[in-house]
Amino acid sequence: DNSKNLGRALMLHRSGLFGLQVLHMVRDSRAIVYSHRRKAERRARDQVYRLGPTARHWDRLNRKLARAFRSQAGTSYLRVRYEDLVERTEEEIRRVLREVSLPWDPQVLNFREGRHHGIEGNRMRLGTSRAIVRDDEYLTAVGRFEWWAITAMTARGLRSFGYRWRREDAPVINSQ
């Protein structure tokens, strides 16, 4: 299930019908809020970007997911940070595969050559490049006030997921 729905994951876990393996992909809250702002700017005029609700949603959802599954018996929980996956793709994929008891196959890195059954997914799937490129546009595009407002609203989540608060430190920390 890749529904990205916490309620659904909890229901699947509580049913006892599945050996649940949760892969929690997280990205810096400032990048997520910036992405929402860009999408709102591209959409119809009735779509409004709201910094506060977007930032608080990131914080609540990610911290709640981590709390819900970190210590659940019978559930495998692994967090992967977007930044770590982009910087050390093979290492992070190997770590995920070990966690779910699957063997390493170098073909995993050739994602364009395999069959995919995702309904939506990342726009990257439509391109031709094999390179996984880090998107750091938010580091320069997010204004000073917006940066610190998002940081303040998501400080607990940022800290628990190993993100730094200062802009110049944001992309360089590694936390497992």
Side-chain angles (χ1 to χ4, degrees):
D1 175 51
N2 65 354
S3 65
K4 301 175 188 165
N5 182 305
L6 177 58
R8 181 179 172 94
L10 287 168
M11 180 190 69
L12 291 171
H13 171 71
R14 290 180 186 137
S15 75
L17 299 172
F18 306 94
L20 199 60
Q21 296 176 313
V22 177
L23 176 62
H24 180 188
M25 177 71 89
V26 68
R27 186 170 186 200
D28 189 310
S29 60
R30 282 95 31 138
I32 296 297
V33 174
Y34 173 66
S35 176
H36 281 250
R37 184 178 84 197
R38 279 191 324 194
K39 287 176 186 172
E41 289 168 356
R42 287 193 301 252
R43 288 189 207 129
R45 290 185 193 151
D46 62 338
Q47 297 286 327
V48 178
Y49 157 73
R50 295 178 17 200
L51 182 146
T54 303
R56 285 189 296 273
H57 176 74
W58 177 93
D59 195 56
R60 277 192 311 270
L61 177 65
N62 284 291
R63 289 188 312 112
K64 190 173 184 178
L65 193 145
R67 277 193 316 270
F69 291 108
R70 253 192 324 235
S71 60
Q72 290 285 343
T75 299
S76 167
Y77 170 85
L78 182 65
R79 181 173 51 240
V80 175
R81 292 184 342 152
Y82 161 85
E83 297 81 2
D84 297 335
L85 181 64
V86 171
E87 292 299 316
R88 295 178 310 284
T89 305
E90 183 176 330
E91 179 183 333
E92 286 297 298
I93 292 175
R94 283 179 181 269
R95 187 170 70 92
V96 169
L97 291 173
R98 272 193 310 274
E99 180 70 23
V100 298
S101 302
L102 290 174
W104 166 252
D105 182 344
Q107 284 300 108
V108 168
L109 298 175
N110 297 325
F111 64 95
R112 296 234 181 265
E113 295 173 14
R115 295 178 98 181
H116 304 282
H117 302 287
I119 294 173
E120 286 186 37
N122 191 302
R123 289 186 312 266
M124 187 175 154
R125 78 193 187 290
L126 301 174
T128 57
S129 172
R130 288 185 176 178
I132 296 176
V133 180
R134 185 175 177 150
D135 177 5
D136 278 343
E137 183 179 339
Y138 76 101
L139 289 171
T140 54
V142 172
R144 180 187 219 158
F145 170 79
E146 188 178 20
W147 180 274
W148 287 108
I150 298 165
T151 300
M153 286 184 264
T154 62
R156 288 171 53 194
L158 286 169
R159 178 169 289 166
S160 68
F161 301 133
Y163 290 102
R164 300 284 176 106
W165 293 358
R166 294 182 339 158
R167 185 186 315 253
E168 54 273 12
D169 295 336
V172 297
I173 189 168
N174 176 27
S175 173
Q176 299 290 333

